[in-house]
Amino acid sequence: MERKGRTTLGVPVVEATAAAAARVRSVADGPAGRLRLAAEFYTGFYTGGLARYGRAELSFLRWAIARGVLNPPSGDPPGSPWWRAVNDRLLRDKAEAALLAGRAAEPSSRCVALWCAFLRSPSAAAWYRAHNASVVAGYLENERSALAELPVERFMMNVALVRVLYAHALVARPALALGAFAPLGRLLGDPRRGSVGLFLDLRRAFPERYPLTGLVVEDLIAAEGHLPRALDYGIIVPRLGPLYAFAAESLGLPGVAGLLGDGVPCYAWPARRSPWHDGSALRLTTRLTAYAVRTRAGG
């Protein structure tokens, strides 16, 4: 990259990526430090109401910390190499964008560029593009590590990805996400509002511990509440193909297409329709939910 001679805040731009990585390394083994660094992006250096944009991300991060997946390798119990790596990627991209903010400098990746674009012109759609690009990049880079996790953990990874991609569609493609109820999409999916917790708060569906030893995927599905069940099977699953296509195009990451197989999520997971199309999808409440938000013809 052509960066020689340019500086930002007195630091050569060529060093921004290294400086961002150093910041992440300094907090990597302390979950509280990770949370602090994540929050500083929204509150530490900027004005203009950015703090509220961090609401959904920080809530999810607190859940991850409570589970223990971000514990250091020497922790008791140790954390998850996969969850740590994905969070590292998100933190690094944000830290580099913060260093480059407002400067005529070339980011090291498209993900960082999207965070810079968000800082220049904050919006719900811009936040999702940046956030989801970093998260998906983390998924794609660390699939081998994901394969070392328990099957129930890998199922949870897919659910988490599906939910955050869907939340993006709520604000950027509401007709895709909600069909006839599209006008509600931008309100429900706004990361600054508590309503987004309906889609991104996994505490409603999964145990808050790690590792999930002694559990199988069917246990997780059986324990899921009625509302999360209706959300997953009645609203999101029927839209998976268009949803992943939208994500690949919007994020500029064609690798997203490979995370869906035979119409179901298959990140570090076999492309089989069960448990994504199990008997719960036939329940009356789920069928009614699917009918209510069906996509209009051509919508």
Side-chain angles (χ1 to χ4, degrees), residues 48-125:
L50 288 189
R52 294 174 62 201
Y53 281 102
R55 180 172 185 164
E57 176 191 333
L58 299 180
S59 177
F60 187 91
L61 182 54
R62 291 185 186 97
W63 173 77
I65 291 171
R67 288 194 66 214
V69 294
L70 298 179
N71 288 351
S74 60
D76 183 20
S80 160
W82 184 87
W83 283 101
R84 285 168 56 86
V86 172
N87 184 247
D88 285 350
R89 176 61 195 257
L90 176 60
L91 292 177
R92 282 198 307 270
D93 288 346
K94 290 167 56 184
E96 182 180 337
L99 288 170
L100 300 181
R103 271 68 185 180
E106 184 181 357
S108 65
S109 69
R110 175 173 173 79
C111 299
V112 176
L114 290 175
W115 280 114
C116 290
F118 165 73
L119 290 175
R120 287 194 300 271
S121 183
S123 71

Side-chain angles (χ1 to χ4, degrees), residues 149-168:
E149 297 281 355
L150 293 172
V152 284
E153 195 72 31
R154 287 183 271 132
F155 177 73
M156 188 185 300
M157 294 171 187
N158 279 280
V159 173
L161 180 62
V162 164
R163 293 279 191 90
V164 76
L165 296 182
Y166 181 77
H168 182 191

Side-chain angles (χ1 to χ4, degrees), residues 70-286:
L70 298 179
N71 288 351
S74 60
D76 183 20
S80 160
W82 184 87
W83 283 101
R84 285 168 56 86
V86 172
N87 184 247
D88 285 350
R89 176 61 195 257
L90 176 60
L91 292 177
R92 282 198 307 270
D93 288 346
K94 290 167 56 184
E96 182 180 337
L99 288 170
L100 300 181
R103 271 68 185 180
E106 184 181 357
S108 65
S109 69
R110 175 173 173 79
C111 299
V112 176
L114 290 175
W115 280 114
C116 290
F118 165 73
L119 290 175
R120 287 194 300 271
S121 183
S123 71
W127 181 83
Y128 276 114
R129 285 188 75 196
H131 175 271
N132 288 9
S134 292
V135 168
V136 170
Y139 270 64
L140 295 173
E141 293 167 352
N142 295 285
E143 187 167 7
R144 180 174 297 181
S145 178
L147 290 168
E149 297 281 355
L150 293 172
V152 284
E153 195 72 31
R154 287 183 271 132
F155 177 73
M156 188 185 300
M157 294 171 187
N158 279 280
V159 173
L161 180 62
V162 164
R163 293 279 191 90
V164 76
L165 296 182
Y166 181 77
H168 182 191
L170 281 171
V171 300
R173 288 283 300 277
L176 164 63
L178 286 176
F181 291 86
L184 297 175
R186 291 183 175 87
L187 176 67
L188 292 174
D190 194 324
R192 295 167 292 182
R193 296 179 178 272
S195 56
V196 76
L198 174 65
F199 308 97
L200 300 184
D201 188 352
L202 296 187
R203 287 174 297 183
R204 299 171 184 268
F206 299 118
E208 198 171 88
R209 62 183 176 88
Y210 177 85
L212 296 175
T213 52
L215 294 179
V216 295
V217 171
E218 289 74 17
D219 294 329
L220 298 187
I221 295 172
E224 194 173 23
H226 292 299
L227 187 56
R229 253 174 126 90
L231 172 65
D232 289 333
Y233 294 105
I235 300 176
I236 301 180
V237 167
R239 292 166 162 74
L240 286 175
L243 178 62
Y244 275 60
F246 156 73
E249 178 184 4
S250 176
L251 306 181
L253 294 171
V256 174
L259 305 184
L260 197 69
D262 193 25
V264 296
C266 63
Y267 177 75
W269 185 264
R272 52 187 173 87
R273 299 181 71 78
S274 176
W276 299 98
H277 290 269
D278 73 337
S280 67
L282 300 178
R283 293 191 176 194
L284 178 61
T285 54
T286 303

